Amino acid sequence: MQQTLLTTDELAERIKYSARYICRHLLDNKLIEGVHYVRPFNGRKILFCWERIEEEIFSTKANGIPMAAGGVYYG
């Protein structure tokens, strides 16, 4: 299976978010380790799987109603 692996800076360029925002707000909140990104050789470097992130961006599934404080309502 062919996957496109991107560094944080490359991902930031593609999705038009800063690398800092990706690391502080998206990691482990929206992007899950082992699904959307990996840490090769148990290191500090992070590589993102573009195909998985693209699926997440364009998914139409309803995960709940986003709340103003950042939570989600699953009513």
Side-chain angles (χ1 to χ4, degrees):
M1 182 159 110
Q2 184 68 23
Q3 294 183 350
T4 306
L5 297 176
L6 305 172
T7 64
T8 307
D9 291 331
E10 292 169 336
L11 178 64
E13 191 174 305
R14 284 195 185 197
I15 65 172
K16 307 303 185 220
Y17 280 87
S18 70
R20 184 176 183 171
Y21 182 83
I22 291 169
C23 289
R24 288 191 175 190
H25 299 284
L26 295 181
L27 283 186
D28 297 325
N29 290 324
K30 299 291 182 187
L31 303 177
I32 311 292
E33 186 170 3
V35 176
H36 300 105
Y37 70 94
V38 294
R39 294 177 191 265
F41 312 111
N42 294 324
R44 295 180 67 178
K45 184 143 187 103
I46 298 172
L47 296 176
F48 296 91
C49 177
W50 173 244
E51 288 78 14
R52 295 287 184 115
I53 293 173
E54 194 173 36
E55 285 174 15
E56 189 72 28
I57 290 172
F58 294 111
S59 72
T60 57
K61 61 183 176 187
N63 290 333
I65 301 168
M67 304 298 284
V72 178
Y73 176 71
Y74 296 102

